[in-house]
Amino acid sequence: MQAHTLRKKYAEFFASRGHTEIASASLLPENDPTVLFTTAGMHPLVPYLTGEEHPGGNRLVSCQKCLRTGDIDEVGDASHLTFFEMLGNWSLGDYFTEDSIRWSWEFLTSKEWLGLDPDRLSVTCFAGDEDAPKDEEAAAIWESLGMPRERIHFLGKEDNWWGPAGQTGPCGPDTEIFWRTTEEEPPPGCTPGSDSGCFVEIWNNVFMQYTKAADGTFRPLARKCVDTGMGLARTAAVLQGLPSVYETELYAPTMAKIAELAGDRLEERHQRVLADHLTASCMIISDGVVPSNLAAGYVLRRLIRKSVRVMRKFELEDTSITVVAETVIENYKDAYPVLEEQREHIMGVLREEEEVFGKALAKGLREFDRIAEGIEKGLQHGGSNNFPMKKAFALYDTHGLPPEVTKELAEERGYLWDQAGYDAAEKKHQEVSRADKGVFRGGLADHSEATTNLHTATHLLHQALRDVLGDHAAQKGSNITPERLRFDFSHDEKVTPEQIAEVERIVNEKIRADLPISNCEMPFEEAKNSGAIGLFGDRYGETVRVYDIGDYSKEICGGPHAPSTKVLGRFKIVKEQAASKGVRRIRAVLESAS
């Protein structure tokens, strides 16, 4: 069964059981400033899991684009991916454990649907701890469906508990479904959840019945929900009898192109890394991210530069990564038309970053030599041969020299490499990044009154920029804290002082007019046709929320917003600068009106 058929069958199965199919949301979270990317199908649904009513009802099904960086070091094996598609179905206060498990079993094993051999399926359930009891209910349901007790395994929170997408939020125990990869019974100790390779997880059913509070405690949810996720690529590999997700049609054309370019110079693991990273890069760029040293842009930059490094390390200097990216777009454009729509933009971003990185690599190598000279001088006076990890991270963060390159060069010269020290330097950078990150449209540090007011001001700023500069001045990103707003927009030249003054005047005029702010939900196409501003393509679901600021601004947005403009005070632009090629950045504040 091909992946496109699996997508269709999954939606059909749950639609026949009263579920409404919803479109994939963006890879960039709308309403959660604590994470960089949409990491699971439930992520865009957090407001509805916590009580808000969904326009599609209380039973939903989707195929959601996801991106995770936690497993990035595992990429290159048979099953791990940075970008992946998650098939999922949800119950928002409707059915719970029994129906969820029963339907999973039916979809997987029924000849009408996937027809997998039940004897090669095993499951895990939550073992229980001080926060929640052992999930004997789920185990009993599995047994009633014919799952032998010996193929039901109980594991702890690390394996069978789904935490909130961010620091707080809905969570609960889960049951995970595994496919045995071997024809024969596995040897002792080779169990689901282990690193044995005898089993691959294909489906995860989460029973959301708790919410994690800011103090770390778990409290019962007002209504119980179900969140499930089936990995499209992994399940397609199982259905096709393939040992690797990279052999499915989702990656095979890209792998073939890489093999054509590299011949026998590139081992399989590195071919997989290249295919994975460039697929993820194309998807991220299509959702509006550009390479940078912060947040989502930082992840994109790492993915692109690792791809370039792999190409060059294996003597592919004369071949641009865009050659491989073209194959990625061809392969995914039917499922995600936005890739074709943004083909030239994606190619341009990749080419520019590749060119910049080539120059950065040369500078980084020169800086490495200077650091090495300092170490050698120190050794002459009894100093240490430890390579300084802060400088190692600076080589990457400032000069773009990948850590694996620095490590290789350092060890070639006999210097000691402290990986834990490097990780600590990187973690510190990430913490700073999260405090000042540029997640597009969802880049709110919190939902405080000050941040909310500045968020409202970005809508006025956006429209004022369009009035002064033209409709091409479209939002490319925003980052808002209680102290200030940062707004990126498309524009090819510096904004003049006169234009800045006019934008300020318009925004403050609208603030003084005390315009009311209202919102309503409507179908995406209706919102688009009504003139609402939005980052279109695959960015939104079928139903969106539109905010009106009087009759001046109409924009698709997830909120929050002030009740009217009068509370905003006085708007002031404090800086205008280039953010990247063709993108300008404004920093602004709100001051007291008195």
Side-chain angles (χ1 to χ4, degrees):
M1 185 182 294
Q2 300 287 293
H4 67 87
T5 304
L6 177 56
R7 287 190 194 102
K8 183 179 178 182
K9 274 188 172 288
Y10 191 89
E12 286 178 352
F13 177 88
F14 284 100
S16 70
R17 283 146 185 82
H19 291 64
T20 300
E21 184 175 4
I22 59 175
S24 173
S26 169
L27 285 172
L28 303 172
E30 279 289 329
N31 301 306
D32 191 344
T34 66
V35 290
L36 296 177
F37 294 103
T38 298
T39 59
M42 60 81 67
H43 207 155
L45 296 173
V46 168
Y48 308 104
L49 292 167
T50 54
E52 190 173 326
E53 294 300 318
H54 194 283
N58 55 15
R59 294 186 180 188
L60 308 172
V61 60
S62 78
C63 179
Q64 173 63 46
K65 298 184 295 183
C66 300
L67 193 133
R68 293 180 189 170
T69 57
D71 294 333
I72 203 163
D73 291 335
E74 306 298 324
V75 168
D77 67 7
S79 62
H80 284 87
L81 297 166
T82 306
F83 166 83
F84 58 97
E85 296 168 86
M86 188 67 78
L87 300 166
N89 60 281
W90 293 270
S91 164
L92 307 177
D94 191 342
Y95 62 85
F96 202 52
T97 309
E98 182 171 1
D99 284 336
S100 176
I101 291 176
R102 180 165 52 85
W103 286 334
S104 296
W105 181 255
E106 181 183 357
F107 183 70
L108 289 171
T109 63
S110 169
K111 297 297 183 183
E112 182 184 354
W113 300 101
L114 301 193
L116 293 178
D117 181 358
D119 292 338
R120 290 179 66 172
L121 294 172
S122 295
V123 299
T124 58
C125 299
F126 181 52
D129 61 12
E130 65 277 6
D131 296 319
K134 185 177 182 180
D135 197 354
E136 287 287 4
E137 179 187 5
I141 295 168
W142 282 118
E143 279 194 279
S144 72
L145 294 170
M147 180 72 70
R149 187 74 181 188
E150 61 269 22
R151 297 214 307 269
I152 301 173
H153 305 263
F154 288 91
L155 300 176
K157 197 168 264 174
E158 182 178 344
D159 296 287
N160 279 87
W161 182 276
W162 190 262
Q167 303 300 318
T168 61
C171 55
D174 64 35
T175 183
E176 298 181 357
I177 308 170
F178 291 80
W179 173 257
R180 193 181 74 234
T181 58
T182 57
E183 291 283 349
E184 63 283 345
E185 287 294 329
C190 188
T191 58
S194 68
D195 295 326
S196 60
C198 300
F199 293 89
V200 59
E201 179 197 342
I202 57 174
W203 207 341
N204 182 10
N205 294 30
V206 182
F207 311 121
M208 293 195 169
Q209 50 195 298
Y210 301 96
T211 183
K212 185 179 181 182
D215 61 4
T217 60
F218 295 87
R219 301 164 188 169
L221 273 177
R223 64 176 184 177
K224 295 180 179 180
C225 299
V226 171
D227 157 40
T228 82
M230 170 189 277
L232 179 72
R234 288 187 182 184
T235 308
V238 167
L239 292 168
Q240 295 171 33
L242 298 173
S244 163
V245 295
Y246 294 97
E247 294 180 45
T248 68
E249 71 281 7
L250 293 169
Y251 286 91
T254 306
M255 293 288 288
K257 172 57 70 174
I258 294 169
E260 174 191 325
L261 296 171
D264 59 0
R265 290 169 291 175
L266 201 58
E267 63 183 69
E268 185 176 48
R269 183 178 185 87
H270 285 98
Q271 290 185 30
R272 290 173 175 178
V273 168
L274 197 54
D276 169 89
H277 284 16
L278 286 176
T279 300
S281 296
C282 289
M283 293 294 180
I284 296 172
I285 295 168
S286 74
D287 267 348
V289 181
V290 292
S292 72
N293 283 343
L294 289 174
Y298 178 67
V299 173
L300 174 59
R301 172 158 283 167
R302 289 188 66 178
L303 291 169
I304 295 175
R305 293 189 171 191
K306 178 65 177 291
S307 301
V308 174
R309 176 60 185 165
V310 168
M311 297 275 278
R312 295 191 177 191
K313 183 176 181 180
F314 291 91
E315 303 174 7
L316 301 178
E317 295 94 338
D318 296 332
T319 304
S320 170
I321 57 173
T322 57
V323 175
V324 179
E326 287 280 7
T327 304
V328 171
I329 292 175
E330 283 299 315
N331 200 35
Y332 275 93
K333 67 181 183 181
D334 289 340
Y336 299 102
V338 68
L339 292 171
E340 180 62 40
E341 295 166 11
Q342 296 198 25
R343 181 189 292 264
E344 290 306 313
H345 171 66
I346 294 169
M347 293 299 112
V349 170
L350 292 173
R351 275 193 294 269
E352 182 177 356
E353 185 65 15
E354 187 172 32
E355 181 181 346
V356 169
F357 179 53
K359 297 175 182 178
L361 195 58
K363 291 180 181 178
L365 292 173
R366 289 196 294 271
E367 182 62 24
F368 176 90
D369 287 339
R370 282 195 285 269
I371 296 171
E373 287 176 11
I375 295 174
E376 294 297 332
K377 289 180 181 178
L379 287 171
Q380 294 174 8
H381 299 88
S384 168
N385 70 336
N386 292 322
F387 196 87
M389 290 300 101
K390 287 185 178 180
K391 291 185 177 180
F393 182 73
L395 281 172
Y396 179 75
D397 184 42
T398 304
H399 301 285
L401 195 66
E404 63 269 20
V405 178
T406 305
K407 182 175 184 289
E408 186 179 308
L409 294 170
E411 291 178 343
E412 283 176 359
R413 300 200 185 195
Y415 304 145
L416 298 178
W417 182 268
D418 175 16
Q419 188 61 44
Y422 184 90
D423 292 343
E426 184 177 40
K427 183 178 179 181
K428 184 175 181 180
H429 171 89
Q430 290 171 342
E431 289 170 351
V432 173
S433 171
R434 286 193 180 96
D436 187 36
K437 69 187 179 80
V439 176
F440 300 121
R441 306 284 297 176
L444 307 183
D446 53 46
H447 285 190
S448 66
E449 181 180 356
T451 303
T452 296
N453 288 347
L454 282 159
H455 180 217
T456 303
T458 62
H459 284 233
L460 295 173
L461 170 62
H462 193 185
Q463 186 58 51
L465 286 167
R466 291 163 65 89
D467 290 346
V468 174
L469 304 177
D471 288 346
H472 68 275
Q475 179 176 354
K476 290 298 181 182
S478 66
N479 176 276
I480 305 166
T481 72
E483 292 78 32
R484 56 95 183 117
L485 69 83
R486 193 183 75 204
F487 187 82
D488 294 351
F489 58 98
S490 51
H491 191 58
D492 288 331
E493 56 190 28
K494 182 176 175 62
V495 182
T496 67
E498 293 77 16
Q499 290 170 327
I500 289 174
E502 178 62 10
V503 168
E504 273 190 358
R505 186 194 68 76
I506 293 173
V507 173
N508 283 312
E509 177 185 85
K510 302 305 178 186
I511 291 174
R512 289 192 299 272
D514 193 17
L515 301 177
I517 299 173
S518 60
N519 71 87
C520 65
E521 287 191 342
M522 63 179 69
F524 168 68
E525 285 301 324
E526 181 182 331
K528 186 176 179 180
N529 294 334
S530 74
I533 299 173
L535 304 176
F536 298 118
D538 284 347
R539 186 65 224 256
Y540 303 107
E542 294 177 1
T543 303
V544 295
R545 189 176 296 276
V546 175
Y547 277 83
D548 289 277
I549 303 181
D551 58 1
Y552 181 66
S553 167
K554 180 187 287 287
E555 192 160 346
I556 298 173
C557 186
H561 289 272
S564 71
T565 60
K566 187 176 183 180
V567 301
L568 302 186
R570 191 171 76 88
F571 176 79
K572 181 174 180 58
I573 295 174
V574 296
K575 191 172 186 180
E576 189 276 340
Q577 65 186 113
S580 61
K581 186 175 181 180
V583 177
R584 305 297 296 181
R585 172 171 294 168
I586 278 179
R587 294 175 188 268
V589 297
L590 288 174
E591 301 172 336
S592 173
S594 58

